[in-house]
Amino acid sequence: MSAPRPAANPPNVQSYCHLFYISDSQQAQIERLQALIVQHQLPIVLNTKRLHDKLTQKRRQQLSQTSSVPVLVLDQKDKLSWLSDGLSVAPEWDKLQRRVVSAGRKSELLLQAAKVTADSRVIDATAGFGHDSLILASTGAQVTMLEQQPLMALLLLVEQQRMSAQRNWQKLMSRLHIINTDALSYFATLPADMTGATKAVDVVYLDPMFPEDSYQDSKTGKGAKVGKHMQALHQLASPPTLEEERQLLQHAQAIVGDSDKQGRVVVKRPQLASALANQPPNESWHNEAVRFDGYFV
């Protein structure tokens, strides 16, 4: 949700994480985690440790508050969670099943703004916990999910693997492609056609990190509360600068569109926030808490 983000470590520098597990029978799952790290070349080193006490909420808080490195936990259901400043967070895609099944332009502002179809090619350039990617992919679209933070990318990959084991989620999971990279670097790698123009992407979706107070009216102090997932992301990254916003929007606009469709960049904002890079959108869709700004190319 927060590209471009300052990385927690310089590129290619390994990040150490504690991984706590509760049963020796979870060794196979730990090996799958290690395999994902190797397969996707994530700069993560897991220090594994068996817990011999109950994994209560109080114990989770103790683990997160006494460690100087990120803490991951495999619970009794083999669900991987990240413990951040007393918060326990995970993608938990299964909790979105009802939204995914019923997703449509009448029920989802994002789909009203993006107007994706089953043959659309979409880049979610700021994947975060992947919830919006699920809604976009529910249309049948192919969604490339970019996540700069290796820890977040690992959570996404593990969740995709977990959900792929459930038959009714397999088709949706096959339409998600998770890459640990920042948006601007990825945009630069996209192949070009014979004219030198980038091969078309139909929609680029951006949900950049915002300061926590941007969700509230500066005069009244009222507004949407920041959820625990966003609170956790604030532990990893800072909001982009105005110049980074300009670069992100400019490069996203450069890669969308082809001869058959009107490409668009869709930006998610708190309802009371200014436009990305202070650039007015062509159209906006909003409710009381959130706004989707569309830039048509």
Side-chain angles (χ1 to χ4, degrees), residues 99-115:
R99 275 187 67 192
V100 169
V101 170
S102 62
R105 293 184 185 178
K106 290 184 178 180
S107 60
E108 295 287 346
L109 280 179
L110 172 56
L111 297 185
Q112 291 180 34
K115 291 183 169 56

Side-chain angles (χ1 to χ4, degrees), residues 1 26 56-57 63 66 103 138 150 174 194 203 284 288 294:
M1 285 185 176
Q26 293 177 314
T56 62
Q57 182 60 32
L63 290 172
T66 58
S138 71
S174 71
M194 296 297 291
V203 177
S284 293
E288 293 181 356

Side-chain angles (χ1 to χ4, degrees), residues 29 50 100 105 161 163 181 216 284:
Q29 174 65 0
R50 166 79 186 274
V100 169
R105 293 184 185 178
Q161 188 178 75
M163 300 305 293
T181 186
Q216 297 180 330
S284 293

Side-chain angles (χ1 to χ4, degrees), residues 2 5-9 147-154 180-181 236-237:
S2 53
R5 295 178 186 161
N9 297 286
E147 177 48 53
Q148 179 173 340
Q149 293 292 340
L151 176 63
M152 290 301 303
L154 179 61
N180 173 217
T181 186
L236 276 185

Side-chain angles (χ1 to χ4, degrees), residues 10 13 32 41 71 90 160 204 217-218 240 242 251 270:
V13 174
R32 287 193 288 270
Q41 300 181 337
V71 175
Q160 183 184 39
V204 173
D217 187 297
S218 59
L242 181 60
H251 285 78

Side-chain angles (χ1 to χ4, degrees), residues 264-281:
R264 59 181 59 202
V265 178
V266 176
V267 183
K268 185 178 182 179
R269 309 297 268 174
Q271 169 61 5
L272 302 173
S274 59
L276 187 71
N278 293 325
Q279 296 297 315

Side-chain angles (χ1 to χ4, degrees), residues 7-257:
N9 297 286
N12 302 318
V13 174
Q14 290 181 320
S15 173
Y16 288 85
C17 296
H18 291 312
L19 172 63
F20 293 94
Y21 61 100
I22 62 174
S23 170
D24 289 335
S25 64
Q26 293 177 314
Q27 287 299 325
Q29 174 65 0
I30 293 173
E31 290 177 5
R32 287 193 288 270
L33 279 174
Q34 300 281 17
L36 284 174
I37 290 172
V38 173
Q39 178 186 350
H40 294 272
Q41 300 181 337
L42 301 178
I44 293 176
V45 176
L46 293 179
N47 298 318
T48 60
K49 184 176 181 179
R50 166 79 186 274
L51 283 176
H52 295 281
D53 51 352
K54 290 185 177 180
L55 191 59
T56 62
Q57 182 60 32
K58 183 178 180 180
R59 186 70 173 108
R60 288 174 183 262
Q61 290 178 342
Q62 289 174 341
L63 290 172
S64 68
Q65 292 171 345
T66 58
S67 175
S68 60
V69 300
V71 175
L72 300 172
V73 169
L74 267 179
D75 66 15
Q76 62 273 16
K77 295 182 180 180
D78 281 344
K79 184 178 73 173
L80 185 68
S81 299
W82 167 38
L83 306 185
S84 171
D85 196 25
L87 298 172
S88 179
V89 293
E92 298 180 302
W93 288 350
D94 45 346
K95 291 187 176 181
L96 275 73
Q97 181 168 356
R98 183 172 296 179
R99 275 187 67 192
V100 169
V101 170
S102 62
R105 293 184 185 178
K106 290 184 178 180
S107 60
E108 295 287 346
L109 280 179
L110 172 56
L111 297 185
Q112 291 180 34
K115 291 183 169 56
V116 293
T117 58
D119 62 346
S120 294
R121 295 149 296 180
V122 180
I123 295 176
D124 181 348
T126 49
F129 286 93
H131 297 167
D132 289 334
S133 290
L134 289 185
I135 300 302
L136 291 164
S138 71
T139 64
Q142 296 290 321
V143 180
T144 298
M145 302 168 63
L146 309 182
E147 177 48 53
Q148 179 173 340
Q149 293 292 340
L151 176 63
M152 290 301 303
L154 179 61
L155 287 172
L156 292 173
L157 290 164
V158 171
E159 187 71 357
Q160 183 184 39
Q161 188 178 75
R162 183 175 78 95
M163 300 305 293
S164 293
Q166 302 183 36
R167 182 173 299 178
N168 59 327
W169 283 85
Q170 288 173 350
K171 287 185 178 180
L172 179 59
M173 292 299 101
S174 71
R175 296 195 290 271
L176 300 175
H177 312 278
I178 301 165
I179 304 175
N180 173 217
T181 186
D182 69 277
L184 296 183
S185 297
Y186 181 78
F187 293 164
T189 67
L190 293 178
D193 62 21
M194 296 297 291
T195 68
T198 301
K199 288 186 177 179
V201 173
D202 299 309
V203 177
V204 173
Y205 176 60
L206 304 172
D207 182 9
M209 180 69 70
F210 248 71
E212 295 179 65
D213 60 1
S214 65
Y215 293 83
Q216 297 180 330
D217 187 297
S218 59
K219 295 181 179 179
T220 66
K222 297 180 179 180
K225 294 182 179 180
V226 179
K228 72 174 185 178
H229 288 87
M230 185 58 68
Q231 291 179 48
L233 286 175
H234 275 284
Q235 303 298 320
L236 276 185
S238 300
T241 65
L242 181 60
E243 178 57 30
E244 288 171 334
E245 288 185 356
R246 287 173 179 160
Q247 291 185 36
L248 188 60
L249 182 58
Q250 179 183 355
H251 285 78
Q253 288 175 308
I255 67 169
V256 296

